[in-house]
């Protein structure tokens, strides 16, 4: 099956379709009025996305699915040892990979060195479909190593890894979209998956809100581990997004964004009190 198709083409086709759909919906049903629109932000965001894609292809050409195939051929990993390769193994593989991505995201906020790198993602002054893949190349490479280790350690079905990677990309774009969903639909979806309103809170300048809603696809992990926040303190229209005046204004420049991990700046977003003071000074 997998020898007859190009996995990367499948992933890119799925990503392109979801991104196009979200970009069109953002234009027609925006959740927030963007102070800094696409012309100002998208060149840098797309510059990071393209650079990340090139580096991953050069350094890790076989990708996550390739690692899953290798693990299956060699009999590596938990499921290889116990001889599981059916539906149950696939479901467990998917769930553990989603939990692993959630845990990596938490670590990127709690460990100072990782936070310095992850700041590139949070420095965006708005949240839309391109923010989903706005990461520093170092973080992308570290993320692939972590995910690859989990894939090999599990040795789960290749199909489950392929489905997970497609779903992860699609859900990241959906979760970051500047899209207004009907309130009832948003509340219903949140019981299972991360919605745009749920994840947008994570991009608030208020520290308590930044340290919440870490999920990319399943919402259960934030509820289970007590990191879930239902609504932002200032509402979705009034909340301030980014890292405050020291980093965010220049984050629309590609060289500056690439330099953020090496800048001597505060290691966490402003505390709640500091964020309120910043908000008052900007009024």
């Amino acid at each position: 099956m997998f020898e007859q198709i190009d996995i990367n083409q499948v992933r890119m086709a799925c990503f392109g379709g979801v991104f196009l759909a979200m970009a069109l919906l953002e234009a027609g049903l925006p959740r927030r009025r963007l102070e800094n629109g696409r012309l100002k932000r998208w060149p840098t965001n797309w510059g990071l996305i393209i650079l990340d894609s090139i580096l991953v292809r050069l350094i890790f050409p076989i990708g996550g699915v390739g690692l899953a195939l290798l693990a299956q051929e060699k009999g590596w990993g938990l499921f290889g040892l116990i001889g599981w390769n059916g539906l149950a193994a696939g479901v467990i593989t998917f769930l553990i990979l989603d939990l692993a991505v959630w845990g990596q995201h938490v670590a990127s906020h709690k460990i100072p060195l990782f936070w310095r790198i992850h700041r590139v993602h949070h420095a965006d002054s708005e949240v839309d479909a391109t923010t989903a893949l706005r990461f520093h190349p170092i973080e992308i490479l570290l993320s692939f190593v972590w995910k690859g280790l989990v894939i090999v350690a599990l040795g789960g079905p290749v199909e489950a890894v392929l489905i997970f990677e497609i779903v992860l990309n699609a859900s990241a774009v959906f979760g970051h979209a500047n899209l207004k969903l009907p309130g009832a639909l948003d509340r219903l979806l949140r019981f299972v998956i991360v919605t745009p309103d749920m994840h947008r809170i994570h991009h608030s300048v208020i520290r308590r809100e930044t340290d919440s809603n870490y999920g990319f696809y399943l919402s259960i992990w934030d509820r289970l581990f007590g990191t879930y926040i239902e609504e932002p303190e200032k509402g979705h229209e009034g909340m301030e997004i980014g890292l405050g005046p020291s980093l965010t204004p220049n984050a629309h420049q590609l060289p500056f964004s690439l330099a953020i991990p090496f800048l001597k700046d505060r290691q966490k977003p402003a505390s709640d009190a500091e964020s309120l003071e910043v908000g008052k000074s900007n009024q």
Side-chain angles (χ1 to χ4, degrees):
M1 171 184 174
F2 292 100
E3 294 177 355
Q4 299 174 2
I5 60 176
D6 187 319
I7 300 301
N8 288 309
Q9 287 182 3
V10 172
R11 289 185 59 198
M12 289 305 297
C14 293
F15 165 75
V18 173
F19 180 85
L20 179 60
M22 291 302 104
L24 292 174
L25 287 171
E26 285 180 337
L29 296 169
R31 183 64 164 96
R32 288 166 47 96
R33 184 175 64 85
L34 303 184
E35 298 294 336
N36 297 296
R38 295 177 175 181
L39 289 178
K40 186 172 184 179
R41 296 171 42 255
W42 277 29
T44 293
N45 288 3
W46 274 109
L48 287 168
I49 292 168
I50 293 170
L51 181 58
D52 293 343
S53 300
I54 292 172
L55 282 176
V56 168
R57 288 285 286 174
L58 289 174
I59 299 175
F60 304 111
I62 65 172
V65 175
L67 284 174
L69 277 167
L70 181 62
Q72 190 174 78
E73 291 173 1
K74 301 292 186 181
W76 294 341
L78 174 64
F79 293 117
L81 291 173
I82 64 178
W84 279 23
N85 197 37
L87 179 60
V91 172
I92 294 171
T93 295
F94 186 98
L95 291 174
I96 292 178
L97 282 171
D98 196 63
L99 176 59
V101 171
W102 180 89
Q104 174 199 339
H105 196 180
V106 174
S108 71
H109 280 251
K110 303 301 183 183
I111 300 174
L113 177 61
F114 292 167
W115 169 247
R116 293 186 70 88
I117 302 169
H118 189 59
R119 290 185 305 177
V120 175
H121 180 64
H122 279 267
D124 202 354
S125 61
E126 305 287 356
V127 175
D128 66 14
T130 60
T131 312
L133 299 178
R134 179 199 154 92
F135 292 97
H136 196 279
I138 295 175
E139 182 165 14
I140 290 295
L141 297 179
L142 291 173
S143 176
F144 186 88
V145 170
W146 167 242
K147 188 169 61 175
L149 289 172
V150 175
I151 289 171
V152 172
L154 287 173
V158 178
E159 294 86 352
V161 176
L162 173 60
I163 292 171
F164 174 77
E165 294 207 331
I166 291 173
V167 169
L168 181 65
N169 285 343
S171 61
V173 174
F174 171 68
H176 285 84
N178 181 36
L179 175 62
K180 184 174 183 179
L181 295 176
L185 178 59
D186 178 82
R187 289 189 294 273
L188 179 63
L189 289 176
R190 280 198 204 191
F191 282 110
V192 181
I193 65 173
V194 175
T195 66
D197 273 12
M198 177 180 168
H199 188 72
R200 189 179 302 107
I201 299 168
H202 178 73
H203 285 262
S204 168
V205 298
I206 298 176
R207 182 183 298 179
R208 180 179 64 87
E209 296 178 349
T210 309
D211 290 335
S212 72
N213 298 5
Y214 292 102
F216 274 86
Y217 178 56
L218 296 175
S219 62
I220 185 175
W221 311 123
D222 284 301
R223 296 177 184 276
L224 185 62
F225 293 104
T227 54
Y228 174 71
I229 289 181
E230 185 171 358
E231 292 293 332
E233 180 180 311
K234 297 182 179 181
H236 286 281
E237 290 78 9
M239 67 184 293
E240 183 182 351
I241 289 172
L243 292 177
S246 59
L247 290 178
T248 294
N250 293 319
H252 305 131
Q253 304 167 19
L254 182 58
F256 183 87
S257 290
L258 289 171
I260 285 176
F262 312 102
L263 299 177
K264 292 183 178 180
D265 199 278
R266 64 172 182 267
Q267 295 298 296
K268 290 291 292 179
S271 66
D272 294 0
E274 290 169 336
S275 299
L276 291 173
E277 289 301 317
V278 169
K280 291 176 182 177
S281 65
N282 290 335
Q283 292 178 352

